[in-house]
Amino acid sequence: MKLYCLSGHPTLPCNVLKFKSTTIMLDCGLDTTAALYFLPLPLVHSPRLSKLPGWVSKDGAINLEKELKECSGRVFVDSQPEFCLPEKELLDLSTIDVILISNYHCMMALPYITEHTGFTGTVYATEPTLQIGRLLMEELVTFMERVPKAHAATCWKNKEIQRLLPAPLKDAVDVWSLRKCYSMQEVNSALSKVQLVGYSQKVELFGAVQVTPLSSGYSLGSSNWIIQSHYEKVSYVSGSSLLTTHPQPMEQSSLKNSDVLILTGLTQIPTANPDGMLGEFCSNLAMTIRAGGNVLVPCYSSGVIYDLLECLYQFMDSANLGNTPFYFISPVANSSLEFSQIFAEWLCQNKQSKVYLPEPPFPHAELIQTNKLKHYPSIHGDFSSEFRQPCVVFTGHPSLRFGDVVHFMELWGKSSLNTIIFTEPDFSYLDALAPYQPLAMKCVYCPIDTRLNFHQVSKLLKDIQPLHVVCPEPYTQPPPSQPHRSDLMLELQPPPMAYRRCSVLGLPFRRRYERIHLLPELAKSLVPSEIKAGVSVATVSAVLQSKDNKHVLQPVPKPAPVPPSKKRKRVMEEAPEVLNPKPLLSGAVPLEPFLAMLYKNGIREVKVEETADGHILHLQAEDVLIQLEEDGTHIICDNNEPLRTALRDLVLHFLQKL
């Protein structure tokens, strides 16, 4: 059993598991942090960004004025942002049988895998994961296609040139694996390969293994996966949460008795308490609005935004902010808000019960009805005529490199009354803000990550007790910024097996058993013999048929009667004769009764020597050795066949024939 690790990002995993005769990809996360190397894509013409000087090396030897621009003391790539794909060269991706998706954030690289590698398998995901994943992909494609770039920058990726560039470009890794965004056509083709599954639904893969999704508690439809055969069990835990938020709670008991547990997707901010961050978010928002400023919240169009809106719904009236407008701007804003209300069976019990009252499970439905929350596909059109300040705007993308957020950064960045509040933990907020410096607006960092922290995961692993744990390398050592914090790492016995991008791990257990079925007519013919109390054994002669990873014992076919014929057939064409098997022997030869039996049969001079495995009997007059051992009896007798046969019969007297 082998694990191929195609992504080095702990929370955007992509691994391939070879288990029995199946090849299973576990998630295909897309690392979008490489977008931070690029200039923002403004929706409205930006005089500031259009007049940036091109970059030339100090000695003038390298001139990349068309590709690189100097902005706020840093150098950025002037091209459409590109993303870091999972490794494609480690193994042949066309051999993958299935892809298991754990949540909608971990499927964003799916079109790159299914459309460009010869993949012909099936993708398994829950319905909310598929539908919200589709929205996030559609949003990403729309963001890119709204602001097309005339040329693509490639020269800066040359190794010889890259090492001479200023940081952070010279430190960028795997730049040749960076790719432009896919198209909507590729998204639709990739998602047509998805087969929907429900929690606890068992799916057979080629008769070899069975896969089952379990609720992971992190987002709508998010799953952990059990991959098991009759005698082996692998659990894949990715992006899980024990906090009480909107999704169904995490299912833990089914993870017990795992031979191997593959652990990914822990919180990116282990020192931040999500409840404390929500409180800070609300108080900073209120402070800005009261001072007459606007609040900008860069966010994804699904996920934490549902909790933020619910929190604000409860907070607004108590803070006298009832008249402040909230705007949610995204190409998929309407669909996202609607989907969250219709996936009732994937929600926690509290929200499920509201559906039967009937009430909308999320309060943002009421905010929309009362016109406190308005959603728009873009800043163009209706929004520009209905927009009023001070207000709160939720929009994407959290990287601040594309999407409507770029316009608001240009619009509000020059006033200290305004505040930007970062809630998504995926990007360094200082790097995200770099091309907008100098910035007058206040910046607040309130990362909200509800995934498991190290304390929670240690407790979980104690409860479910897997034999072996496999995890990303960063989880096995303290964060580089806090080397003294040994509590921010996994300390387990035995130590976890760590992986990094392009690792190939041999998982530390071997398959020992395989299940075989007996046909009823064969079972009827068996004659069990009791060898000790409660234990019976039967010999069986049968034909083993293996097909589709299922093994069946069938009766030996009887030779067909040969029709009488005048012509003599060749001997080779006769049916093979099926010989009856020799009887198997069981039991042990007891020393004292055996010596008495020898004495009775006239063999009196016997010297007994004790060994580590039993006894050696030397029949001195006959010059014969008999070795009595736990798993066998040997008679060593030269040139006296009648005596050897007589001794054999004496030994058989004490053994049971099967």
Side-chain angles (χ1 to χ4, degrees), residues 230 515-519 522 544-545 550-554:
H230 296 302
R515 180 172 288 185
I516 296 178
H517 295 274
L518 271 75
L519 288 186
L522 181 65
L544 176 65
Q545 185 193 56
K550 287 189 167 39
H551 312 290
V552 180
L553 280 180
Q554 302 174 335

Side-chain angles (χ1 to χ4, degrees), residues 229-513:
S229 64
H230 296 302
Y231 298 102
E232 299 92 15
K233 179 175 177 181
V234 176
S235 294
Y236 177 58
V237 175
S238 170
S240 302
S241 176
L242 294 171
L243 300 181
T244 308
T245 55
H246 60 272
Q248 263 193 45
M250 181 183 176
E251 161 61 41
Q252 300 176 51
S253 58
S254 302
L255 299 171
K256 288 180 178 174
N257 305 317
S258 298
D259 296 294
V260 172
L261 185 139
I262 302 167
L263 178 70
T264 68
L266 301 185
T267 177
Q268 298 185 75
I269 318 290
T271 53
N273 175 348
D275 287 336
M277 292 292 108
L278 269 174
E280 212 171 300
F281 171 81
C282 290
S283 60
N284 278 288
L285 182 142
M287 215 184 308
T288 303
I289 298 294
R290 285 197 193 106
N294 301 292
V295 177
L296 178 60
V297 185
C299 62
Y300 295 111
S301 54
S302 182
V304 171
I305 185 170
Y306 304 144
D307 297 310
L308 293 177
L309 291 171
E310 184 160 1
C311 184
L312 287 173
Y313 172 78
Q314 297 160 353
F315 175 79
M316 277 163 55
D317 291 331
S318 61
N320 294 324
L321 298 174
N323 296 322
T324 305
F326 291 154
Y327 301 118
F328 177 22
I329 304 171
S330 162
V332 296
N334 185 39
S335 304
S336 172
L337 293 172
E338 285 181 352
F339 272 134
S340 65
Q341 303 288 18
I342 62 173
F343 286 132
E345 71 271 30
W346 305 90
L347 297 170
C348 62
Q349 198 59 46
N350 178 30
K351 293 204 179 308
Q352 277 190 34
S353 58
K354 287 187 178 182
V355 178
Y356 301 105
L357 289 176
E359 279 181 20
F362 285 97
H364 54 244
E366 192 181 320
L367 290 172
I368 293 169
Q369 284 167 4
T370 55
N371 270 340
K372 290 177 181 173
L373 171 64
K374 294 186 175 185
H375 53 84
Y376 303 92
S378 159
I379 55 170
H380 302 300
D382 292 344
F383 173 74
S384 52
S385 57
E386 295 175 13
F387 172 57
R388 61 186 180 85
Q389 307 183 71
C391 63
V392 180
V393 171
F394 297 89
T395 190
H397 184 265
S399 65
L400 307 190
R401 292 301 180 270
F402 45 88
D404 301 86
V405 72
V406 175
H407 175 70
F408 288 100
M409 288 301 297
E410 295 286 320
L411 184 69
W412 290 344
K414 299 176 186 66
S415 169
S416 58
L417 288 176
N418 303 321
T419 301
I420 179 170
I421 306 181
F422 289 91
T423 57
E424 300 290 353
D426 292 356
F427 301 91
S428 156
Y429 74 100
L430 292 174
D431 288 337
L433 291 171
Y436 301 98
Q437 301 291 5
L439 203 63
M441 76 190 299
K442 291 188 283 294
C443 168
V444 178
Y445 186 52
C446 299
I448 298 168
D449 195 336
T450 58
R451 287 174 283 206
L452 294 171
N453 59 34
F454 287 100
H455 173 71
Q456 290 168 330
V457 86
S458 298
K459 186 174 180 301
L460 174 70
L461 293 174
K462 265 185 196 164
D463 291 343
I464 60 177
Q465 295 191 322
L467 291 181
H468 303 280
V469 174
V470 179
C471 67
E473 196 174 62
Y475 295 167
T476 61
Q477 52 209 27
S481 57
Q482 298 169 294
H484 61 289
R485 293 291 300 269
S486 61
D487 58 322
L488 301 182
M489 60 181 279
L490 284 180
E491 292 189 285
L492 305 170
Q493 284 305 325
M497 297 178 68
Y499 69 78
R500 60 172 78 173
R501 188 179 172 103
C502 294
S503 300
V504 180
L505 302 184
L507 298 184
F509 76 94
R510 294 183 184 279
R511 288 169 47 216
R512 292 179 294 171
Y513 300 108

Side-chain angles (χ1 to χ4, degrees), residues 55 69 85 89 167 201 237 319 493 597:
W55 181 80
K69 302 289 182 184
L85 271 56
E89 305 300 323
Q201 179 183 336
V237 175
Q493 284 305 325
M597 181 74 77

